[in-house]
Amino acid sequence: MNRRYRKTIIAGNWKMNKLPSECKEYILRLKEKAAAAKWCDVVLCVPFTHLASAVKAARGTRIAIGAQNCHFADKGAYTGEVSCAMLADLGVKYVIIGHSERRAYFGETDLDVNKKVKAALDAGLRPIVCLGESLDIRENNAALDHIRMQLKFALKDITAQQLRKVVIAYEPIWAIGTGKVATAEQANEVGSAIRETLRAIYGARAARGVSILYGGSMSEKNAEGLLAMPDVDGGLIGGASLDTEKLGGIIEAARQELKGN
Ligand code: PEP
C-alpha cells in the first residue's frame, strides 16, 4: 500500500450469506474497528435484500455499503435485475463487478463487465472490478497476460477522470474460498502488472491513484504480509468477512501497516 497516493480499502463480500436482520448487529460490532483505521476505507458488500438495512445500520459509521452485482441498463424490462441507479438511490456506494463466481456460474463476459463498470460510474457508484486467472492459466505462465486482457476489456472507453473512482481487485480463482492464498510476492507481481498496464493507458499520475486490492482466502492471519506489499492496497474478503473478529483483524492489520507507511 502507499498512503501518499491512494486509499487503502478493506472490503468484505458476504456473497449469499447471512440474513438482512443480521446487518445491524454485525455493523455494531465492526464499527469501532473501522473508526480506528483512519486511512483505511471499510466497505461491506451484502446481498441486494440486505442493502437497505445495511445502509441504515451503517449511517454515522465509517463503513460504506456495497452491492455484489448490478445490471448495466438504467431501467427497463429486465425481470429480477437491479440497476445502479436503484443502488445509488438506496445510499449504496460501491458495487462488485465481474466477480469470478458471476463469470463462472452466470456467464458474465468481459463485455458485460465493461457495460456494468460504465453503468456504475454513470450512477455515481464506485465499481470494484474483479480480475483473476484460473490455476490452469497460472500453470501455463499466462496469468499476467490474462489479467492485462481482462483489465483492458473492463476499462474500455473509461476516461482518466472516471478511473479515479474505479477500484481493481486481483482475485486468483484458485485462491477464492479454497484456503489457498497467493503469496505476497505473487499478489504484488500481479498488482504491479495491473498498475503498469494502467500507466500505459492513462499515464503515471492516474495509475498511481488507483487502489488495487487482493482477494482470495485473505484472513487476519495472512493479511499483514499481503498488505505490506507496495501494490496491494487492501483486500476483498469473502469467507473471513462473515466474522467481525476476522474482518476486524484484517482492518487492524491494515491500520498497523498504515502507521508505518
Ligand atoms: C471473494 O469472495 O471475493 C473472496 C476473495 O472469497 P474468499 O476470501 O472466501 O476467498
Side-chain angles (χ1 to χ4, degrees):
M1 50 178 77
N2 188 326
R3 206 177 100 195
R4 220 168 120 204
Y5 295 125
R6 47 193 177 261
K7 272 292 181 123
T8 295
I9 300 174
I10 300 296
N13 173 18
W14 275 8
K15 312 195 187 199
M16 197 173 75
N17 290 296
K18 294 194 184 282
L19 298 171
S21 55
E22 292 177 90
C23 292
K24 192 173 165 187
E25 167 94 23
Y26 179 100
I27 287 169
L28 214 64
R29 285 176 188 269
L30 194 69
K31 73 174 188 184
E32 298 306 329
K33 281 276 183 231
K38 261 188 279 167
W39 296 291
C40 173
D41 287 352
V42 177
V43 182
L44 184 63
C45 299
V46 298
F48 288 138
T49 44
H50 303 36
L51 288 170
S53 329
V55 166
K56 190 170 168 211
R59 226 166 259 149
T61 75
R62 291 199 59 255
I63 302 168
I65 302 302
Q68 300 170 7
N69 182 31
C70 60
H71 195 269
F72 45 76
D74 211 27
K75 59 182 174 182
Y78 298 101
T79 302
E81 292 292 328
V82 174
S83 76
C84 292
M86 294 170 187
L87 297 174
D89 190 62
L90 264 186
V92 170
K93 303 291 182 209
Y94 289 79
V95 58
I96 297 174
I97 294 177
H99 192 283
S100 60
E101 288 155 15
R102 294 219 54 87
R103 293 181 194 249
Y105 307 143
F106 303 97
E108 209 161 285
T109 64
D110 286 322
L111 180 62
D112 296 327
V113 171
N114 179 243
K115 287 201 236 174
K116 290 182 181 196
V117 171
K118 287 177 183 160
L121 291 167
D122 285 348
L125 299 175
R126 298 195 67 181
I128 301 176
V129 183
C130 299
L131 317 171
E133 81 285 2
S134 65
L135 193 56
D136 236 29
I137 293 177
R138 175 153 288 268
E139 286 175 349
N140 281 306
N141 286 326
L144 295 184
D145 282 345
H146 180 77
I147 301 290
R148 287 188 195 105
M149 191 196 63
Q150 280 188 324
L151 179 68
K152 285 181 190 165
F153 262 121
L155 298 185
K156 190 171 173 290
D157 301 327
I158 300 300
T159 66
Q161 176 71 17
Q162 287 175 310
L163 185 72
R164 295 166 64 176
K165 295 280 176 208
V166 173
V167 180
I168 305 291
Y170 165 55
E171 298 210 308
I173 297 169
W174 47 271
I176 297 180
T178 57
K180 208 170 156 189
V181 68
T183 63
E185 290 71 24
Q186 283 172 326
N188 195 63
E189 183 190 30
V190 178
S192 302
I194 291 171
R195 201 172 310 284
E196 193 49 54
T197 306
L198 292 174
R199 193 175 295 133
I201 305 171
Y202 295 102
R205 199 155 163 216
R208 76 181 178 210
V210 177
S211 300
I212 301 171
L213 317 185
Y214 167 78
S217 299
M218 193 188 254
S219 73
E220 72 288 8
K221 297 193 179 85
N222 58 36
E224 192 187 333
L226 288 159
L227 296 173
M229 303 310 274
D231 281 313
V232 178
D233 305 311
L236 180 56
I237 300 117
S241 76
L242 298 176
D243 181 333
T244 51
E245 284 300 310
K246 292 182 180 172
L247 190 62
I250 298 172
I251 296 169
E252 177 58 22
R255 190 179 78 89
Q256 292 296 341
E257 185 55 38
L258 282 162
K259 271 208 300 193
N261 200 268

